[in-house]
Amino acid sequence: MIKKLKYIVFLILTFLISSTFITTSFATDTSTLSTYSPACILMETSSGKILYEKNSNQVRYPASTTKIMTAILVLENCKLTDISTVSRNAIHSIPPDYVMCNIKEGEELTIEQLLNVLLIPSANDAAVVLAEHVAGSVSKFSDLMNEKAKEIGCKNTHFVNPNGIHNKNHVSTAYDLALIGQYAMKNNTFRKIVKKTQYTLPATNKYSKTDRTFKTTNDLLIKNTSTAKSNYYYPNATGVKTGYTGEAGNCLVAAAKKDNMEVISVVLGADFTKEGLSEKFLDSIALLDYAFDHYAIEILQEKNSVLQEVEVSSATEETKNLKVLVKDNIETLIEKNASTETLNPEISIDKLKAPISSGIKIGTITYTIDGKSYSSDLIAGNDVLPSNTLSLLLHIGLIIVTLYLLFTLLKPKKNSKSRGHSSKNSKTCKHKKSRKASGKHLYTLINNFE
């Protein structure tokens, strides 16, 4: 019986100790998700949290998803109104069967026009024009691409051209492309372009017609209409970029937003099903659906909400109670059936002393979930005025010191004893007179001071 009790106690203690070190986690089971593609990943964009992955760090060919990085560098180094002139190399360096947008040597196009044909129909010639405009040559532009990839956090990416034309040394991974896509979607111009379903180049100095109209290669964006048909339309899709070469297979970096949550999926090396359906779109839809079915963005603290009230010493009675506000929304990605009620934030408030101005930073609040921190500054919700008690005491003290100094300065000094009697009497009279006069003068000074 005693051994059994000892065993039970041991189990209880073991449970209590182990539960103490459990980190807050909102991970969900991914066993129900199945994908065709050999490599893919699903990421929530605001936090960078990985929701699903399969061979996500496997080095593969990225094909035209490369153009996401090209667009990033162009947007960060050029104005949309800048003019670029099409070089001979831009046209003649593109192998047969690769997409081009029928631009002409010597044609002048704006950066904005070139970005549209780069990202919507995936024009390879436009990529070379942009690369030469930014860096002077494709090789120098590729160096910039690799530098930017490292800056973003990519670990297994190496670019040798701006368009994804096959080269055995031109490689990336699903994870790295998710980072690149996440970064690009922070740019509003990029977001607007990759959501378009078609674009028409205007007439230029070398081409007088306006018949160069191009449709998007991303079927997630195409609705079924009388003039267009898609088996893969996804209402919440927001972009991003397709890719294909014989060596890379079908690739797609896709993004979608629902409510206040946006996710990015990457599919590499996809093929077609036995029924002839595109695996890159089927996998992308499955990944995006999985994210929205299982996860949501939860607001832990709302912007300008009152966290608590604290009493500030040396403040007036009317303003001593300071409202502590949360400066920004604190949001986190959680599993839909999970609860945030047990989350305890770390709150740090500065040592407070009046006066305090409304809106200034007075501390921080931080939640830690799955090893990631979510925080906001804490700010003063109202003005706190200093108490006038100390000021009044200082004022009274100043008056007392001033009076003392006046009395001290105006008090007559005692005269030394005179040798002669008459002289003594004379000085005594003068002294009395002087004291009398001094008294009147002091009285007048005191009255004037008051």
Side-chain angles (χ1 to χ4, degrees):
M1 182 66 180
I2 294 175
K3 287 184 178 180
K4 187 176 288 187
L5 284 172
K6 285 182 178 180
Y7 180 71
I8 293 171
V9 170
F10 173 77
L11 288 176
I12 293 172
L13 287 173
T14 301
F15 171 76
L16 290 173
I17 292 171
S18 62
S19 62
T20 302
F21 295 97
I22 293 176
T23 304
T24 305
S25 176
F26 295 123
T28 189
D29 181 20
T30 60
S31 60
T32 58
L33 182 57
S34 176
T35 53
Y36 296 100
S37 308
C40 53
I41 197 169
L42 176 65
M43 173 193 286
E44 194 274 320
T45 57
S46 65
S47 64
K49 182 178 175 62
I50 305 303
L51 309 183
Y52 175 83
E53 59 182 331
K54 182 170 78 174
N55 299 322
S56 64
N57 289 303
Q58 185 181 84
V59 175
R60 304 187 67 88
Y61 301 122
S64 284
T65 60
T66 299
K67 291 167 183 154
I68 300 172
M69 177 60 82
T70 300
I72 289 171
L73 287 172
V74 171
L75 287 166
E76 292 184 349
N77 289 278
C78 306
K79 294 180 180 178
L80 295 177
T81 53
D82 287 350
I83 303 295
S84 186
T85 302
V86 179
S87 69
R88 178 177 178 80
N89 179 62
I91 298 172
H92 294 282
S93 64
I94 310 301
D97 300 328
Y98 277 84
V99 175
M100 298 176 69
C101 60
N102 194 27
I103 53 178
K104 308 299 179 183
E105 183 179 347
E107 186 171 7
E108 295 176 352
L109 296 163
T110 67
I111 296 301
E112 184 174 14
Q113 290 163 355
L114 289 164
L115 281 171
N116 274 275
V117 292
L118 172 81
L119 295 169
I120 297 172
S122 195
N124 292 285
D125 44 359
V128 176
V129 177
L130 289 167
E132 292 175 342
H133 181 86
V134 172
S137 69
V138 166
S139 61
K140 289 181 180 179
F141 187 79
S142 299
D143 291 339
L144 295 179
M145 296 173 77
N146 292 322
E147 289 175 13
K148 193 67 180 182
K150 289 180 181 178
E151 178 188 321
I152 291 172
C154 300
K155 296 180 180 179
N156 296 290
T157 292
H158 184 260
F159 296 120
V160 298
N161 60 58
N163 41 31
I165 288 175
H166 180 67
N167 184 299
K168 66 179 182 178
N169 296 316
H170 189 94
V171 295
S172 189
T173 65
Y175 175 76
D176 285 359
L177 288 169
L179 290 180
I180 294 170
Q182 178 194 32
Y183 184 93
M185 290 296 278
K186 294 176 183 177
N187 185 291
N188 287 330
T189 300
F190 181 89
R191 292 182 71 94
K192 289 177 183 178
I193 293 175
V194 296
K195 197 174 182 179
K196 293 179 182 179
T197 57
Q198 69 175 39
Y199 180 76
T200 299
L201 278 173
T204 67
N205 64 317
K206 292 289 183 177
Y207 197 89
S208 59
K209 300 178 182 179
T210 56
D211 59 354
R212 292 179 293 181
T213 297
F214 307 97
K215 294 182 179 180
T216 181
T217 57
N218 187 356
D219 284 6
L220 297 180
L221 300 171
I222 300 175
K223 296 180 180 180
N224 280 309
T225 65
S226 57
T227 57
K229 186 177 180 181
S230 171
N231 295 316
Y232 312 107
Y233 175 62
Y234 197 78
N236 299 308
T238 55
V240 180
K241 187 71 191 74
T242 62
Y244 171 79
T245 67
E247 296 82 1
N250 286 291
C251 308
L252 175 61
V253 178
K257 187 172 184 179
K258 186 176 182 181
D259 298 327
N260 60 339
M261 184 174 81
E262 186 170 56
V263 292
I264 282 180
S265 65
V266 180
V267 170
L268 299 178
D271 203 337
F272 289 89
T273 66
K274 293 178 180 179
E275 296 76 22
L277 298 175
S278 173
E279 292 176 350
K280 72 179 177 185
F281 291 120
L282 294 178
D283 280 352
S284 298
I285 291 170
L287 289 165
L288 299 174
D289 277 344
Y290 177 82
F292 296 128
D293 288 345
H294 291 84
Y295 290 90
I297 298 292
E298 180 82 10
I299 298 178
L300 303 177
Q301 295 288 344
E302 290 188 0
K303 180 179 181 179
N304 291 328
S305 62
V306 179
L307 183 68
Q308 62 187 67
E309 284 193 9
V310 295
E311 186 173 317
V312 180
S313 61
S314 70
T316 63
E317 188 66 26
E318 296 79 11
T319 65
K320 68 179 182 180
N321 293 322
L322 173 65
K323 292 181 178 179
V324 179
L325 305 185
V326 180
K327 183 180 179 181
D328 303 302
N329 277 350
I330 301 180
E331 302 176 344
T332 184
L333 180 76
I334 67 167
E335 191 179 352
K336 282 192 171 181
N337 60 2
S339 172
T340 60
E341 293 179 1
T342 58
L343 290 176
N344 295 313
E346 180 183 342
I347 299 171
S348 175
I349 297 179
D350 302 336
K351 187 176 181 180
L352 302 175
K353 185 179 180 181
I356 297 172
S357 299
S358 176
I360 69 167
K361 179 184 175 182
I362 57 174
T364 57
I365 177 172
T366 303
Y367 290 85
T368 302
I369 302 170
D370 292 336
K372 184 175 178 62
S373 295
Y374 303 83
S375 62
S376 171
D377 288 342
L378 298 176
I379 58 174
N382 54 275
D383 292 328
V384 177
L385 304 178
S387 171
N388 58 5
T389 303
L390 181 60
S391 177
L392 181 61
L393 289 174
L394 290 172
H395 187 65
I396 293 171
L398 182 61
I399 292 173
I400 292 171
V401 171
T402 304
L403 289 173
Y404 173 77
L405 291 173
L406 285 171
F407 274 110
T408 302
L409 292 171
L410 296 174
K411 184 177 180 181
K413 296 180 179 180
K414 292 182 179 181
N415 293 320
S416 58
K417 291 183 179 181
S418 175
R419 292 179 180 178
H421 178 72
S422 61
S423 177
K424 178 180 180 182
N425 288 338
S426 175
K427 287 184 177 180
T428 302
C429 290
K430 288 181 179 179
H431 178 64
K432 288 180 179 178
K433 187 176 181 180
S434 176
R435 288 183 66 182
K436 188 175 181 180
S438 298
K440 287 182 178 180
H441 184 57
L442 176 61
Y443 179 79
T444 302
L445 283 172
I446 292 172
N447 280 336
N448 289 338
F449 179 76
E450 292 174 348

